Structures are given as C-alpha cells and as structure tokens.
Amino acid sequence: MRAKNRHLINAIFLLGALYLKVFLERVFEVYLGDPFLAMALLVALEYRFAGRFLVFLAVGVYEGFFSPSGVLSALIAGLVVVALKDPLLKRLYQETPYSVLLVPLVLLSAYRFTYTILIPYLLDLPLPHGWTLAFSKDVLLTTGWVVLFGIAMRVGRSEALSRLQGL
Amino acid sequence: MPFFRFNRFIYLFLLAVGVFFLIFVKDVPLVSGFLLRTVSFFVKLPSEVGESLRKGMELYVGLVKLKEENERLRKENEALRSKLVELNERLRFFKALKKTDATDISLYPRVKARVIYKPFSPFENYLIVQVMERDKRSYIKPEMPVVSIAEDYPGALVGQVVSTSKNGLAKVLPITAPVSAVDVISSRSRERGLLRGRGKGRPCLLDYVPTGADIKEGDILITSGMDALFPKGLRVGRVIRVLPERRQGFFENIEVEPFAKVRSVEYVYIILKRRARNLPK
C-alpha cells in the first residue's frame, strides 16, 4: 500500500510540474527553466530500472515531441544520468550544502548536454544560435527547480503519506 | 510467484512494443496523431489558464487602450503591407506579361486555427495549433503552410504543418526553428536564397546567397514557390543586416527579421495548399 501511494504521489508531482511549466511559460512568456525535467530527475533517481525507464520515457515523449532529437535520445540521456549518479554520490562528501547544488547541476548538465547538444550534433541537426548561453541558462534555472522541489518533496511527501495512511 | 513473473513478462513485452512504436514508427500518421493528442491533452489546460491569467493581468495592469490601439494599428499595418507586397508582385508580373506566374494568396482556401501551446525553451521547436471550425478539422494535412492573420487576410509566413490528428490538432514547425528552411526571393531584386531559423528571438539567416548578389538592408523577402512547399508570394521577413564576413568563403552573411512574431502569435491561418476532400466550392 505504501509503495502504491508513493507511485501515485510521484505521478501527481510529475503532472503538477508539467502543468507548472506550461502555466508559467504562458503567464510570463519567458523561459523559466524546466520544472518538469527537474521533477522527473528527482523521481527517476528514486526508482530502480523499470520505474526510471518509465519516467524517462514520459520525459522523452514530451521532449521528443517538441524537439527533433526524439524519444530515443531522451532515453539515452536518461541512461547517462543514471550511470553518473552512483559514482557522483560515492565521491562527494554529502554533509555539506554545496553537494545539494552540485549533484543536480552535474546530472542536469549531463542530461541536457547529451540530449540537446551531443545527439543533435551527431545527427547533424542544427543548434540554435547562441546555444552555449541558452544551455547554461537552462541548466542553472532547472537546477534551481530541482533544489526547490527536493526540499518541497521531502516535506510534502511525508505529510501526504501520513494523510493517505490515515484515510 | 510464476504467475507474477508471467505478468511481469507481459508488462515488459508491452512496454517494449510501445517504446518501439514511439521511437521508430513515430512518423506514421496514427502514431504521430496519438502523440499529438496525448501531449495536447496535458498542455492544453494549463496553457489556457495561463493565457487567460496573463490577458487578465495585462488588461488591468497595462495601458489597456494604448495597447489595443497599438494592436489594431499593427494589424492594419500588417494587412497594408501584405496588400502592398501583393500589388507590387502583380505590377511586376503584369509588366513582365507573365500572367501564368501570377498568384494571389488571398484566393487560396484556408482554415483559421488557434495556437494552444508554444514552448519558450530555446531547444524546443514546435507549436501546437487547433482548427477552430469543427467541420474543417479534417482538411489539414502535413506540409501545409501556416501564416499569421492580418484583419482576415493571410499575413506573414509562420511555418508549416508537420503532423496532424483527427480532432483538428496540428504540430507546426515555425520558420525560426533551426531545422526549418524556406526558399525565398527578394521582392526588389529577385535574388534567391534559403532562409534558415536560428532559434526563438533570433534573426533568421539568409543562406546560399552568392557574394556580390543584390541584397540590401530593408529588402522584403517573399516565398519563391520553388521549394514545392510554400506557394509563391507569402511575406516572410525583412533584411536587417548584411554582415561583412563571408560564409564558407562564397556566400553573403545576411540576417533577416521574420515578420511573424512566433512568440506572440495567437491565431493563424493554415493554407490548404493541397486539394482537400469535401472542400467548399
């Protein structure tokens, strides 16, 4: 029951992040990072193989729809993130605040670099003009969302779980 | 326990089949239509709520009358420019006595569509639009040109339809996307080039114009009709800069400001370039 609740809560979080991304873009008409990717990263890293695969597939379907790289590229980028996670956590001293920023920054940079730069380059797809600046801005803003969601999820999930168990 | 394993096997098999379809068969209309419907289902609601909120905020916070006046004048200006280009084109055609070449964009059948989602990330390219009249939803097909609306008159080129779904949704590739290319000519000098996107908010690049070609700042570019995608004579953009450095040693480096503002476009016309079935006479 507890695991099912966790899946349900994660699915709601993911959907909420997608709604937040679209809503903010439409209200302010500027790019404010990618809350959906930030949430997907947090959720995917919690799961094992099948769960991660499903989350990155959802991200791939969404991102592959709007960019020419496609679904497969998002899955490959997801694999890069998964492969990087364990060595990164093993080598970092987790007790300091900088690791809270550094881990998502490295993982997101790896994901975005693979998905938006490396794979389009290999597929001979053109990149937007000034992609370095766009890439840096994107990664920094999305890292901000990861940190924000990371904190919110810790508080929110324990609250939601206790309420669901009480029902 | 074996039953559980069997279930897991079926689950993984179905997942693999689904992934195969998504990755390798995504260009099949059925799959692309399904993807279009699925993504639109999730983005439509927050997009519409956000749009309403933004409009509401603008209405109360902004200088309402000035903005409306500005919008009206902009549309009027757009319509007049379209007319001017069209009249210039006609004049040119009549002067050259080549009546067979003459095209009139306003005579093309078209359907009105509303932009339901436009991503703002520099790495995301496509727009989602939905045809407003229900009975005309089946008319739209991939590769149809999409233009802005200027007082019920087709305005400037926005892009082209990439995929469609049965309920009138269409995925549109705007001309500002890096993977987009449009064959254009200068309405003044008739010099030809390939207009390529460089991302949102960036001027486009007019490529493959040989050194010394007669292209000046302020030249208006229209579709040439030679790429078999866009009909001849659609307004595309204005040359804003001819940079001194050459591209690949042979070609001019020319920047073009597209007329259609992809970031702010709300309604578009999809020009029914192909003869769709059941079109009204």
Side-chain angles (χ1 to χ4, degrees), chain B residues 29-44:
Chain B
L30 194 70
V31 179
S32 63
F34 169 74
L35 281 176
L36 186 58
R37 277 199 300 276
T38 310
V39 174
S40 305
F41 174 77
F42 285 112
V43 299
K44 197 174 176 183

Side-chain angles (χ1 to χ4, degrees), chain B residues 28 125-126 132 239 251:
Chain B
V28 173
N125 289 323
Y126 301 94
M132 295 173 74
V239 174
F251 306 115

Side-chain angles (χ1 to χ4, degrees), chain B:
Chain B
M1 206 59 180
F3 178 73
F4 173 72
R5 276 183 194 159
F6 183 64
N7 260 355
R8 176 177 277 189
F9 174 74
I10 292 174
Y11 163 73
L12 283 173
F13 176 74
L14 289 176
L15 203 64
V17 170
V19 171
F20 176 80
F21 265 87
L22 281 173
I23 293 168
F24 298 107
V25 203
K26 65 171 183 174
D27 292 332
V28 173
L30 194 70
V31 179
S32 63
F34 169 74
L35 281 176
L36 186 58
R37 277 199 300 276
T38 310
V39 174
S40 305
F41 174 77
F42 285 112
V43 299
K44 197 174 176 183
L45 177 70
S47 179
E48 281 179 356
V49 173
E51 179 71 9
S52 317
L53 186 69
R54 191 180 58 79
K55 280 186 177 167
M57 274 157 56
E58 276 180 2
L59 205 67
Y60 287 105
V61 179
L63 301 163
V64 182
K65 281 184 182 171
L66 193 65
K67 197 169 171 59
E68 278 174 2
E69 181 73 3
N70 193 21
E71 186 67 16
R72 190 183 63 77
L73 287 171
R74 197 184 62 76
K75 282 183 178 166
E76 198 178 309
N77 191 19
E78 185 90 345
L80 288 171
R81 281 179 181 183
S82 294
K83 278 276 179 200
L84 186 67
V85 171
E86 189 201 334
L87 289 172
N88 276 336
E89 279 294 296
R90 280 189 186 180
L91 184 68
R92 199 177 299 279
F93 288 136
F94 284 125
K95 273 183 181 174
L97 292 174
K98 283 183 180 172
K99 286 181 182 175
T100 47
D101 275 357
T103 52
D104 187 349
I105 298 302
S106 62
L107 295 178
Y108 274 79
R110 54 186 186 259
V111 290
K112 194 175 181 182
R114 189 164 60 92
V115 178
I116 62 167
Y117 182 59
K118 44 189 173 193
F120 284 86
S121 162
F123 296 103
E124 292 176 346
N125 289 323
Y126 301 94
L127 313 175
I128 302 177
V129 301
Q130 185 162 37
V131 174
M132 295 173 74
E133 294 148 281
R134 281 183 182 271
D135 54 330
K136 291 182 179 174
R137 286 183 171 174
S138 59
Y139 295 171
I140 52 168
K141 297 279 177 290
E143 297 187 359
M144 284 180 170
V146 179
V147 296
S148 62
I149 297 177
E151 291 195 337
D152 296 333
Y153 192 85
L157 183 67
V158 173
Q160 62 166 305
V161 174
V162 177
S163 63
T164 57
S165 74
K166 281 181 184 171
N167 55 347
L169 291 163
K171 186 175 166 183
V172 174
L173 177 71
I175 55 170
T176 51
V179 284
S180 160
V182 185
D183 198 327
V184 292
I185 50 171
S186 160
S187 64
R188 181 185 61 81
S189 65
R190 322 303 287 178
E191 290 282 2
R192 193 178 161 200
L194 196 69
L195 190 82
R196 296 168 69 172
R198 295 161 92 195
K200 291 180 203 78
R202 299 272 176 184
C204 297
L205 176 77
L206 185 61
D207 212 353
Y208 302 114
V209 177
T211 311
D214 184 14
I215 296 270
K216 292 177 183 167
E217 281 178 21
D219 275 4
I220 288 173
L221 302 178
I222 55 173
T223 48
S224 69
M226 286 185 235
D227 53 8
L229 271 175
F230 303 105
K232 189 173 182 175
L234 284 172
R235 290 185 322 117
V236 181
R238 177 185 284 113
V239 174
I240 51 166
R241 226 167 287 130
V242 182
L243 299 168
E245 63 265 25
R246 302 273 174 264
R247 279 176 62 78
Q248 300 163 2
F250 300 107
F251 306 115
E252 295 278 7
N253 201 347
I254 300 164
E255 288 188 339
V256 176
E257 184 71 46
F259 287 130
K261 305 292 173 214
V262 178
R263 272 174 177 265
S264 57
V265 68
E266 287 178 18
Y267 293 93
V268 290
Y269 276 137
I270 299 174
I271 294 181
L272 307 176
K273 191 181 61 169
R274 288 181 184 172
R275 284 187 179 278
R277 283 179 191 173
N278 309 321
L279 269 180
K281 287 181 182 173

